[in-house]
Amino acid sequence: MKKQPFSNYIIRQMRRQIFIFFVFATLLAFVFHCHRPAATAVHFEAERIPYPRLSDYAFFAGVLKKLQPNARVLPYEPITPLFTDYAHKARFVWMPEGVQATVDKEGFIQFPDHSVLIKNFYYPADFQLPEANWDMVETRLLVKRGGKWEAFTYVWNDQDTDAELNVVGDFKGVSWTDEQGRARAVDYAVPNKNQCKSCHNRDKELLPIGPRVRYLNKALTYPDGATANQLERWQQAGMLAPGDWAAQFAPVADWDKPQVGDTEQRALAYLEANCGHCHSPRGPAHTTGLYLTTDYADSPTQLGFCKSPVAAGKGSGGRLFSILPGQPDSSILVFRMESNDPGIMMPEIGRAVAHEEGIALVRAWIEGLDGGCR
Ligand code: HEC
Ligand code: HEC
Protein backbone atom coordinates (compact mmCIF):
# COMPACT_ATOMS: atom_id res chain seq x y z
CA MET A 1 0.00 0.00 0.00
CA LYS A 2 1.28 3.35 -1.02
CA LYS A 3 1.74 5.66 1.87
CA GLN A 4 -0.12 8.94 1.56
CA PRO A 5 1.54 12.15 2.61
CA PHE A 6 0.33 13.62 5.87
CA SER A 7 -0.90 16.81 4.14
CA ASN A 8 -3.38 14.79 2.04
CA TYR A 9 -4.78 13.30 5.23
CA ILE A 10 -5.40 16.77 6.65
CA ILE A 11 -7.15 17.89 3.47
CA ARG A 12 -9.43 14.85 3.50
CA GLN A 13 -10.32 15.43 7.13
CA MET A 14 -11.13 19.05 6.39
CA ARG A 15 -13.30 18.11 3.45
CA ARG A 16 -15.21 15.69 5.61
CA GLN A 17 -15.80 18.30 8.26
CA ILE A 18 -16.93 20.88 5.72
CA PHE A 19 -19.30 18.29 4.24
CA ILE A 20 -20.77 17.47 7.68
CA PHE A 21 -21.11 21.19 8.42
CA PHE A 22 -23.10 21.77 5.22
CA VAL A 23 -25.36 18.81 5.87
CA PHE A 24 -26.11 20.20 9.32
CA ALA A 25 -26.57 23.74 8.13
CA THR A 26 -29.01 22.58 5.44
CA LEU A 27 -30.92 20.52 7.95
CA LEU A 28 -31.09 23.38 10.40
CA ALA A 29 -32.24 25.80 7.74
CA PHE A 30 -34.93 23.33 6.73
CA VAL A 31 -36.13 22.82 10.30
CA PHE A 32 -36.25 26.58 10.91
CA HIS A 33 -38.10 27.14 7.71
CA CYS A 34 -40.81 24.65 8.67
CA HIS A 35 -41.18 26.02 12.18
CA ARG A 36 -41.14 29.64 11.17
CA PRO A 37 -44.23 31.25 12.68
CA ALA A 38 -46.79 32.79 10.31
CA ALA A 39 -46.00 36.39 9.43
CA THR A 40 -46.71 38.41 12.56
CA ALA A 41 -45.69 41.85 11.40
CA VAL A 42 -48.15 44.15 9.72
CA HIS A 43 -47.02 45.40 6.29
CA PHE A 44 -47.11 49.15 6.13
CA GLU A 45 -45.17 51.06 3.50
CA ALA A 46 -46.72 54.51 3.62
CA GLU A 47 -46.00 55.35 -0.02
CA ARG A 48 -47.59 52.12 -1.33
CA ILE A 49 -50.91 52.43 0.47
CA PRO A 50 -53.69 51.73 -0.38
CA TYR A 51 -52.70 48.17 -1.24
CA PRO A 52 -54.96 46.42 -3.76
CA ARG A 53 -56.09 43.73 -1.30
CA LEU A 54 -56.85 43.59 2.41
CA SER A 55 -54.55 40.59 2.86
CA ASP A 56 -51.59 42.71 1.66
CA TYR A 57 -51.54 44.53 5.02
CA ALA A 58 -51.23 41.31 7.09
CA PHE A 59 -53.43 42.73 9.85
CA PHE A 60 -54.71 39.22 10.49
CA ALA A 61 -53.07 35.79 10.82
CA GLY A 62 -54.40 32.52 9.43
CA VAL A 63 -57.74 32.33 7.65
CA LEU A 64 -58.45 35.98 6.87
CA LYS A 65 -62.17 36.02 7.66
CA LYS A 66 -61.50 34.77 11.19
CA LEU A 67 -59.84 38.15 11.82
CA GLN A 68 -57.25 36.83 14.27
CA PRO A 69 -55.16 39.92 14.99
CA ASN A 70 -51.44 39.94 14.24
CA ALA A 71 -48.84 41.52 16.53
CA ARG A 72 -49.78 45.06 17.68
CA VAL A 73 -53.27 44.83 16.16
CA LEU A 74 -55.66 45.42 19.04
CA PRO A 75 -59.44 44.91 18.95
CA TYR A 76 -61.60 47.69 20.36
CA GLU A 77 -65.28 48.48 20.72
CA PRO A 78 -67.21 51.70 21.30
CA ILE A 79 -69.74 51.57 24.14
CA THR A 80 -72.60 52.67 21.85
CA PRO A 81 -71.99 52.00 18.14
CA LEU A 82 -73.37 53.38 14.89
CA PHE A 83 -76.27 51.40 13.41
CA THR A 84 -75.72 50.26 9.80
CA ASP A 85 -78.47 47.90 8.69
CA TYR A 86 -77.84 45.42 11.51
CA ALA A 87 -74.31 44.60 10.30
CA HIS A 88 -72.01 43.17 12.96
CA LYS A 89 -68.65 44.89 13.29
CA ALA A 90 -65.17 43.98 14.41
CA ARG A 91 -62.87 46.97 14.98
CA PHE A 92 -59.10 47.04 15.42
CA VAL A 93 -56.35 49.58 15.85
CA TRP A 94 -52.74 49.24 14.67
CA MET A 95 -49.79 51.52 15.32
CA PRO A 96 -46.16 51.09 14.42
CA GLU A 97 -43.74 50.25 17.19
CA GLY A 98 -42.29 53.01 19.33
CA VAL A 99 -45.04 55.62 18.93
CA GLN A 100 -48.17 56.31 20.93
CA ALA A 101 -51.44 58.23 20.81
CA THR A 102 -52.37 61.10 23.11
CA VAL A 103 -55.71 62.59 24.20
CA ASP A 104 -56.92 66.10 23.35
CA LYS A 105 -58.96 68.31 25.63
CA GLU A 106 -62.26 66.95 24.32
CA GLY A 107 -61.13 63.40 24.90
CA PHE A 108 -60.54 62.56 21.22
CA ILE A 109 -57.61 60.20 20.82
CA GLN A 110 -54.90 61.81 18.70
CA PHE A 111 -53.00 59.20 16.74
CA PRO A 112 -49.43 59.37 15.44
CA ASP A 113 -48.68 59.11 11.73
CA HIS A 114 -49.02 55.65 10.17
CA SER A 115 -51.77 54.55 12.55
CA VAL A 116 -54.55 52.46 11.02
CA LEU A 117 -58.13 52.00 12.26
CA ILE A 118 -59.86 48.93 10.87
CA LYS A 119 -63.60 48.26 10.85
CA ASN A 120 -64.94 44.97 9.46
CA PHE A 121 -68.62 44.56 8.56
CA TYR A 122 -70.21 41.11 8.48
CA TYR A 123 -73.54 39.30 8.83
CA PRO A 124 -73.86 36.07 10.82
CA ALA A 125 -76.31 33.72 9.06
CA ASP A 126 -78.11 33.34 12.41
CA PHE A 127 -77.80 36.25 14.84
CA GLN A 128 -78.35 33.84 17.72
CA LEU A 129 -75.17 31.97 16.71
CA PRO A 130 -72.93 34.82 15.56
CA GLU A 131 -69.73 32.75 15.60
CA ALA A 132 -71.05 29.79 13.62
CA ASN A 133 -71.18 31.06 10.06
CA TRP A 134 -70.90 34.57 8.78
CA ASP A 135 -70.74 36.52 5.55
CA MET A 136 -68.00 39.16 5.28
CA VAL A 137 -69.14 42.30 3.50
CA GLU A 138 -66.70 45.14 3.79
CA THR A 139 -63.57 46.26 5.66
CA ARG A 140 -63.07 49.99 6.09
CA LEU A 141 -59.76 51.60 6.92
CA LEU A 142 -58.73 55.01 8.15
CA VAL A 143 -55.01 55.55 7.62
CA LYS A 144 -53.01 58.51 8.92
CA ARG A 145 -50.27 59.68 6.61
CA GLY A 146 -48.45 63.02 6.52
CA GLY A 147 -50.62 64.26 9.38
CA LYS A 148 -53.87 63.58 7.47
CA TRP A 149 -56.40 60.76 7.62
CA GLU A 150 -57.49 58.94 4.48
CA ALA A 151 -60.43 56.58 4.06
CA PHE A 152 -60.33 53.32 2.09
CA THR A 153 -62.74 50.44 1.83
CA TYR A 154 -62.24 46.83 0.78
CA VAL A 155 -65.13 44.69 -0.47
CA TRP A 156 -64.98 40.95 0.25
CA ASN A 157 -65.24 38.41 -2.56
CA ASP A 158 -68.08 35.87 -2.65
CA GLN A 159 -65.86 33.14 -1.18
CA ASP A 160 -64.86 35.46 1.70
CA THR A 161 -61.19 34.68 1.07
CA ASP A 162 -60.02 38.28 0.60
CA ALA A 163 -61.28 41.82 0.00
CA GLU A 164 -60.43 44.25 -2.79
CA LEU A 165 -60.02 48.00 -2.73
CA ASN A 166 -63.18 49.80 -3.83
CA VAL A 167 -63.56 53.54 -4.44
CA VAL A 168 -66.87 53.84 -6.29
CA GLY A 169 -69.16 52.08 -3.82
CA ASP A 170 -71.13 48.89 -4.28
CA PHE A 171 -74.26 47.00 -3.27
CA LYS A 172 -74.29 43.54 -1.74
CA GLY A 173 -77.40 41.49 -1.09
CA VAL A 174 -77.22 40.07 2.43
CA SER A 175 -79.67 37.98 4.42
CA TRP A 176 -79.81 36.63 7.95
CA THR A 177 -82.10 35.27 10.64
CA ASP A 178 -82.53 37.83 13.41
CA GLU A 179 -82.61 37.29 17.20
CA GLN A 180 -86.38 36.70 17.03
CA GLY A 181 -86.00 34.05 14.32
CA ARG A 182 -87.30 36.29 11.53
CA ALA A 183 -85.78 36.04 8.04
CA ARG A 184 -84.29 39.42 7.11
CA ALA A 185 -82.59 40.71 3.97
CA VAL A 186 -81.15 44.02 2.86
CA ASP A 187 -79.37 45.49 -0.11
CA TYR A 188 -76.30 46.55 1.82
CA ALA A 189 -74.67 49.72 0.43
CA VAL A 190 -70.88 50.05 0.45
CA PRO A 191 -70.22 53.80 0.62
CA ASN A 192 -68.11 55.49 -2.02
CA LYS A 193 -65.07 57.51 -1.05
CA ASN A 194 -66.93 60.85 -0.84
CA GLN A 195 -69.56 59.38 1.45
CA CYS A 196 -66.93 58.45 4.02
CA LYS A 197 -66.29 62.15 4.41
CA SER A 198 -69.98 63.01 4.81
CA CYS A 199 -69.84 61.42 8.25
CA HIS A 200 -66.12 61.47 9.14
CA ASN A 201 -66.06 65.22 9.10
CA ARG A 202 -65.13 67.54 11.93
CA ASP A 203 -64.35 71.17 11.02
CA LYS A 204 -64.39 69.96 7.38
CA GLU A 205 -61.50 67.59 7.96
CA LEU A 206 -61.71 63.80 7.52
CA LEU A 207 -61.23 62.37 11.02
CA PRO A 208 -61.97 59.24 13.07
CA ILE A 209 -65.15 59.29 15.16
CA GLY A 210 -65.14 56.38 17.60
CA PRO A 211 -61.73 56.59 19.31
CA ARG A 212 -62.69 58.96 22.08
CA VAL A 213 -62.14 58.36 25.79
CA ARG A 214 -65.83 58.53 26.70
CA TYR A 215 -66.69 55.88 24.09
CA LEU A 216 -63.85 53.49 24.91
CA ASN A 217 -63.97 53.66 28.69
CA LYS A 218 -65.23 50.10 29.30
CA ALA A 219 -63.89 46.59 29.77
CA LEU A 220 -63.29 44.23 26.84
CA THR A 221 -62.27 40.57 26.69
CA TYR A 222 -59.17 40.20 24.48
CA PRO A 223 -58.09 37.30 22.24
CA ASP A 224 -55.57 36.25 24.92
CA GLY A 225 -58.49 35.69 27.32
CA ALA A 226 -57.72 38.68 29.55
CA THR A 227 -60.47 41.17 30.39
CA ALA A 228 -59.33 44.75 30.81
CA ASN A 229 -60.49 48.33 30.50
CA GLN A 230 -59.71 49.33 26.92
CA LEU A 231 -57.82 52.50 27.86
CA GLU A 232 -55.64 50.61 30.31
CA ARG A 233 -54.96 47.90 27.78
CA TRP A 234 -53.91 50.48 25.16
CA GLN A 235 -51.57 51.97 27.76
CA GLN A 236 -50.15 48.56 28.66
CA ALA A 237 -49.49 47.93 24.97
CA GLY A 238 -47.65 51.26 24.83
CA MET A 239 -50.19 52.65 22.34
CA LEU A 240 -51.66 55.38 24.54
CA ALA A 241 -49.85 58.02 26.61
CA PRO A 242 -49.93 57.54 30.37
CA GLY A 243 -52.60 59.52 32.23
CA ASP A 244 -55.82 58.87 34.08
CA TRP A 245 -57.99 59.61 31.05
CA ALA A 246 -60.88 57.52 32.31
CA ALA A 247 -61.24 59.80 35.34
CA GLN A 248 -61.39 62.90 33.13
CA PHE A 249 -64.11 61.77 30.73
CA ALA A 250 -67.12 59.87 32.07
CA PRO A 251 -68.24 57.04 29.77
CA VAL A 252 -71.38 57.43 27.65
CA ALA A 253 -74.27 55.09 28.41
CA ASP A 254 -74.66 51.81 26.54
CA TRP A 255 -77.83 52.37 24.48
CA ASP A 256 -78.69 48.68 24.74
CA LYS A 257 -78.19 48.12 28.50
CA PRO A 258 -81.32 49.28 30.38
CA GLN A 259 -79.87 47.92 33.62
CA VAL A 260 -76.98 50.44 33.45
CA GLY A 261 -78.33 53.77 32.13
CA ASP A 262 -81.74 55.43 32.37
CA THR A 263 -83.82 55.99 29.23
CA GLU A 264 -82.62 59.56 28.73
CA GLN A 265 -78.92 58.69 29.06
CA ARG A 266 -79.29 55.78 26.68
CA ALA A 267 -81.31 57.76 24.14
CA LEU A 268 -78.77 60.59 24.15
CA ALA A 269 -75.87 58.14 23.79
CA TYR A 270 -77.71 56.56 20.84
CA LEU A 271 -78.32 59.94 19.18
CA GLU A 272 -74.69 60.96 19.75
CA ALA A 273 -73.36 57.78 18.11
CA ASN A 274 -75.81 57.84 15.21
CA CYS A 275 -76.35 61.53 14.57
CA GLY A 276 -73.83 63.54 16.63
CA HIS A 277 -70.93 63.31 14.17
CA CYS A 278 -73.03 65.44 11.76
CA HIS A 279 -75.29 67.20 14.26
CA SER A 280 -72.74 69.13 16.30
CA PRO A 281 -71.26 72.64 16.02
CA ARG A 282 -68.22 71.10 14.28
CA GLY A 283 -70.12 68.64 12.07
CA PRO A 284 -71.55 69.00 8.54
CA ALA A 285 -75.14 69.49 9.85
CA HIS A 286 -74.10 72.41 12.09
CA THR A 287 -76.30 74.80 10.06
CA THR A 288 -79.42 73.07 11.40
CA GLY A 289 -78.59 74.21 14.96
CA LEU A 290 -79.73 70.74 16.03
CA TYR A 291 -76.97 69.29 18.21
CA LEU A 292 -77.54 65.65 19.04
CA THR A 293 -74.80 64.87 21.56
CA THR A 294 -74.66 64.26 25.30
CA ASP A 295 -72.86 67.62 25.67
CA TYR A 296 -76.28 69.22 25.15
CA ALA A 297 -78.14 67.12 27.72
CA ASP A 298 -78.96 70.36 29.57
CA SER A 299 -79.72 72.46 26.47
CA PRO A 300 -83.20 71.38 25.36
CA THR A 301 -83.39 73.82 22.45
CA GLN A 302 -80.18 72.55 20.85
CA LEU A 303 -81.44 68.99 21.35
CA GLY A 304 -84.51 69.95 19.35
CA PHE A 305 -87.15 70.51 22.04
CA CYS A 306 -89.84 72.68 20.43
CA LYS A 307 -87.35 73.58 17.68
CA SER A 308 -88.79 74.52 14.30
CA PRO A 309 -86.92 73.06 11.32
CA VAL A 310 -84.56 75.33 9.38
CA ALA A 311 -86.31 74.27 6.20
CA ALA A 312 -89.94 73.15 6.33
CA GLY A 313 -91.25 70.84 3.61
CA LYS A 314 -90.89 67.17 2.86
CA GLY A 315 -88.34 66.48 5.61
CA SER A 316 -90.66 67.65 8.37
CA GLY A 317 -93.62 65.50 7.32
CA GLY A 318 -95.96 68.33 8.31
CA ARG A 319 -94.72 68.27 11.92
CA LEU A 320 -93.76 71.50 13.64
CA PHE A 321 -90.93 70.57 15.99
CA SER A 322 -87.85 68.34 16.00
CA ILE A 323 -89.02 67.10 19.40
CA LEU A 324 -92.47 67.71 20.80
CA PRO A 325 -92.00 66.57 24.41
CA GLY A 326 -94.41 63.77 25.25
CA GLN A 327 -95.36 63.17 21.60
CA PRO A 328 -92.99 61.04 19.54
CA ASP A 329 -95.50 60.80 16.66
CA SER A 330 -95.44 64.57 16.30
CA SER A 331 -91.65 64.85 16.50
CA ILE A 332 -89.72 65.37 13.23
CA LEU A 333 -86.76 63.52 14.74
CA VAL A 334 -88.73 60.27 15.03
CA PHE A 335 -90.42 60.78 11.66
CA ARG A 336 -87.02 61.04 9.95
CA MET A 337 -85.55 58.06 11.84
CA GLU A 338 -88.51 55.93 10.74
CA SER A 339 -88.41 56.97 7.10
CA ASN A 340 -86.54 55.07 4.39
CA ASP A 341 -87.14 57.78 1.80
CA PRO A 342 -83.75 59.13 0.69
CA GLY A 343 -85.10 62.70 0.77
CA ILE A 344 -86.33 62.40 4.37
CA MET A 345 -84.44 59.71 6.24
CA MET A 346 -81.91 60.33 8.99
CA PRO A 347 -79.10 59.52 8.99
CA GLU A 348 -79.25 60.51 5.34
CA ILE A 349 -76.67 57.84 4.39
CA GLY A 350 -75.35 54.64 5.92
CA ARG A 351 -78.55 52.63 6.14
CA ALA A 352 -81.34 51.21 3.96
CA VAL A 353 -83.66 49.98 6.72
CA ALA A 354 -84.86 51.75 9.86
CA HIS A 355 -83.48 50.68 13.23
CA GLU A 356 -86.55 49.44 15.11
CA GLU A 357 -84.79 49.06 18.46
CA GLY A 358 -83.07 52.45 18.33
CA ILE A 359 -86.33 54.15 17.33
CA ALA A 360 -88.16 52.40 20.19
CA LEU A 361 -85.62 53.85 22.64
CA VAL A 362 -85.88 57.41 21.28
CA ARG A 363 -89.67 57.14 21.24
CA ALA A 364 -89.73 55.98 24.87
CA TRP A 365 -87.54 58.91 25.88
CA ILE A 366 -89.70 61.52 24.08
CA GLU A 367 -92.87 59.90 25.41
CA GLY A 368 -91.60 60.30 28.96
CA LEU A 369 -90.80 64.02 28.57
CA ASP A 370 -93.35 66.50 29.78
CA GLY A 371 -93.98 70.08 28.88
CA GLY A 372 -95.28 70.18 25.32
CA CYS A 373 -94.63 73.27 23.20
CA ARG A 374 -96.40 76.58 23.10
C1 HEC B 1 -73.32 57.18 8.09
C2 HEC B 1 -72.08 57.76 8.54
C3 HEC B 1 -70.79 57.06 8.17
C4 HEC B 1 -70.32 56.76 6.91
C5 HEC B 1 -70.99 56.99 5.58
C6 HEC B 1 -69.01 56.16 7.11
N1 HEC B 1 -68.71 56.08 8.45
FE1 HEC B 1 -67.05 55.27 9.26
N2 HEC B 1 -67.87 55.49 11.11
C7 HEC B 1 -69.02 56.21 11.40
C8 HEC B 1 -69.20 56.27 12.84
C9 HEC B 1 -70.31 56.99 13.58
C10 HEC B 1 -68.12 55.56 13.42
C11 HEC B 1 -67.84 55.33 14.90
C12 HEC B 1 -68.81 54.43 15.56
C13 HEC B 1 -68.63 52.98 15.27
O1 HEC B 1 -67.52 52.52 14.95
O2 HEC B 1 -69.65 52.26 15.36
C14 HEC B 1 -67.30 55.09 12.30
C15 HEC B 1 -66.15 54.33 12.42
C16 HEC B 1 -65.27 54.06 11.40
C17 HEC B 1 -63.99 53.43 11.57
C18 HEC B 1 -63.37 53.06 12.90
C19 HEC B 1 -62.62 54.28 13.43
C20 HEC B 1 -63.52 55.42 13.78
O3 HEC B 1 -63.46 56.48 13.13
O4 HEC B 1 -64.33 55.28 14.71
C21 HEC B 1 -63.42 53.34 10.32
C22 HEC B 1 -62.07 52.75 9.99
C23 HEC B 1 -64.35 53.90 9.39
N3 HEC B 1 -65.48 54.32 10.07
C24 HEC B 1 -64.11 54.02 8.03
C25 HEC B 1 -65.04 54.50 7.12
C26 HEC B 1 -64.83 54.51 5.69
C27 HEC B 1 -63.56 54.08 4.98
C28 HEC B 1 -65.98 54.97 5.13
C29 HEC B 1 -66.32 55.10 3.67
C30 HEC B 1 -66.11 53.93 2.83
C31 HEC B 1 -66.91 55.27 6.22
N4 HEC B 1 -66.29 54.97 7.40
C32 HEC B 1 -68.20 55.73 6.07
C33 HEC B 1 -69.87 56.78 10.49
C34 HEC B 1 -69.77 56.63 9.13
C1 HEC C 1 -74.36 62.38 7.42
C2 HEC C 1 -74.74 63.51 8.25
C3 HEC C 1 -76.01 63.38 9.07
C4 HEC C 1 -76.32 62.41 9.98
C5 HEC C 1 -75.47 61.20 10.38
C6 HEC C 1 -77.59 62.76 10.53
N1 HEC C 1 -78.06 63.90 9.97
FE1 HEC C 1 -79.82 64.85 10.41
N2 HEC C 1 -79.38 66.29 9.06
C7 HEC C 1 -78.26 66.35 8.27
C8 HEC C 1 -78.34 67.50 7.38
C9 HEC C 1 -77.29 67.89 6.37
C10 HEC C 1 -79.56 68.16 7.68
C11 HEC C 1 -80.13 69.43 7.03
C12 HEC C 1 -80.82 69.11 5.74
C13 HEC C 1 -82.12 68.37 5.94
O1 HEC C 1 -82.95 68.79 6.75
O2 HEC C 1 -82.28 67.32 5.29
C14 HEC C 1 -80.19 67.36 8.73
C15 HEC C 1 -81.41 67.67 9.31
C16 HEC C 1 -82.02 66.96 10.34
C17 HEC C 1 -83.25 67.35 10.98
C18 HEC C 1 -84.04 68.61 10.71
C19 HEC C 1 -83.41 69.63 11.64
C20 HEC C 1 -83.89 71.03 11.52
O3 HEC C 1 -84.02 71.65 12.57
O4 HEC C 1 -84.08 71.50 10.40
C21 HEC C 1 -83.53 66.39 11.91
C22 HEC C 1 -84.70 66.35 12.87
C23 HEC C 1 -82.47 65.43 11.86
N3 HEC C 1 -81.56 65.80 10.88
C24 HEC C 1 -82.37 64.31 12.66
C25 HEC C 1 -81.30 63.42 12.62
C26 HEC C 1 -81.25 62.26 13.47
C27 HEC C 1 -82.27 61.90 14.53
C28 HEC C 1 -80.10 61.61 13.13
C29 HEC C 1 -79.59 60.32 13.68
C30 HEC C 1 -80.53 59.22 13.85
C31 HEC C 1 -79.45 62.37 12.08
N4 HEC C 1 -80.22 63.46 11.80
C32 HEC C 1 -78.26 62.02 11.50
C33 HEC C 1 -77.19 65.46 8.29
C34 HEC C 1 -77.11 64.32 9.07
Side-chain angles (χ1 to χ4, degrees):
M1 199 165 94
K2 203 166 140 212
K3 214 174 171 202
Q4 286 183 355
F6 186 64
S7 58
N8 270 8
Y9 173 72
I10 296 277
I11 287 167
R12 253 190 297 130
Q13 282 296 312
M14 275 174 68
R15 274 199 194 132
R16 229 179 86 198
Q17 273 172 15
I18 288 169
F19 176 70
I20 289 170
F21 171 80
F22 270 107
V23 168
F24 252 93
T26 314
L27 258 170
L28 265 175
F30 183 69
V31 165
F32 264 100
H33 180 79
C34 294
H35 283 258
R36 198 179 53 182
T40 51
V42 165
H43 299 161
F44 188 98
E45 298 146 281
E47 66 288 353
R48 285 193 49 223
I49 281 168
Y51 294 134
R53 279 174 305 274
L54 180 63
S55 58
D56 296 332
Y57 296 86
F59 292 129
F60 306 107
V63 176
L64 195 59
K65 76 176 285 195
K66 292 193 175 168
L67 305 177
Q68 292 163 314
N70 253 332
R72 303 189 62 76
V73 178
L74 209 58
Y76 79 90
E77 222 176 79
I79 296 170
T80 288
L82 171 74
F83 168 81
T84 33
D85 289 343
Y86 295 99
H88 285 222
K89 321 215 171 128
R91 304 170 187 79
F92 298 87
V93 54
W94 176 81
M95 269 176 238
E97 199 133 18
V99 291
Q100 59 182 201
T102 56
V103 175
D104 76 6
K105 59 182 195 305
E106 287 177 273
F108 284 103
I109 296 185
Q110 298 292 329
F111 291 87
D113 249 13
H114 299 178
S115 296
V116 186
L117 296 160
I118 308 156
K119 190 175 177 189
N120 303 281
F121 292 66
Y122 63 96
Y123 284 84
D126 182 348
F127 277 19
Q128 285 180 26
L129 302 165
E131 322 233 306
N133 174 21
W134 64 96
D135 182 9
M136 296 303 298
V137 183
E138 181 193 6
T139 295
R140 299 182 187 170
L141 304 184
L142 288 177
V143 179
K144 194 171 185 184
R145 203 164 45 170
K148 290 208 177 323
W149 288 94
E150 288 167 85
F152 306 111
T153 196
Y154 290 81
V155 176
W156 286 73
N157 61 28
D158 291 340
Q159 299 75 38
D160 277 358
T161 52
D162 207 343
E164 257 182 55
L165 184 66
N166 176 296
V167 285
V168 295
D170 200 356
F171 287 94
K172 282 195 118 190
V174 289
S175 56
W176 70 97
T177 304
D178 73 10
E179 279 94 350
Q180 287 78 42
R182 294 176 294 185
R184 304 286 306 258
V186 70
D187 209 9
Y188 177 95
V190 174
N192 65 40
K193 215 172 157 67
N194 292 328
Q195 289 174 321
C196 310
K197 201 173 173 182
S198 319
C199 293
H200 288 269
N201 181 324
R202 210 156 49 249
D203 303 329
K204 300 199 165 76
E205 199 183 330
L206 193 151
L207 287 167
I209 298 171
R212 193 174 182 179
V213 173
R214 73 183 190 212
Y215 304 152
L216 297 180
N217 188 359
K218 72 157 185 176
L220 190 73
T221 299
Y222 288 87
D224 63 8
T227 300
N229 177 286
Q230 300 191 90
L231 299 160
E232 285 166 19
R233 180 74 187 230
W234 287 38
Q235 287 174 327
Q236 269 167 24
M239 292 169 130
L240 181 63
D244 194 359
W245 310 118
Q248 288 182 41
F249 304 98
V252 291
D254 184 332
W255 78 282
D256 204 20
K257 283 217 175 81
Q259 60 280 20
V260 182
D262 65 29
T263 305
E264 171 156 291
Q265 290 165 337
R266 291 188 298 118
L268 290 182
Y270 180 87
L271 292 174
E272 175 160 331
N274 285 276
C275 326
H277 46 279
C278 288
H279 285 278
S280 93
R282 301 171 66 186
H286 67 95
T287 49
T288 61
L290 179 67
Y291 302 151
L292 299 172
T293 82
T294 54
D295 296 329
Y296 294 90
D298 299 321
S299 314
T301 315
Q302 268 102 349
L303 279 179
F305 286 44
C306 305
K307 181 190 176 301
S308 314
V310 286
K314 196 178 166 194
S316 66
R319 291 152 180 82
L320 298 176
F321 307 110
S322 282
I323 292 177
L324 177 52
Q327 297 186 45
D329 282 316
S330 301
S331 300
I332 299 170
L333 198 127
V334 172
F335 169 71
R336 299 190 71 161
M337 287 177 75
E338 287 179 340
S339 173
N340 290 332
D341 178 329
I344 299 170
M345 67 186 228
M346 284 288 149
E348 46 185 7
I349 51 169
R351 69 170 179 87
V353 298
H355 187 200
E356 279 172 39
E357 298 77 4
I359 292 165
L361 173 63
V362 172
R363 277 183 161 277
W365 169 56
I366 294 176
E367 188 118 41
L369 298 168
D370 45 34
C373 298
R374 261 175 293 169

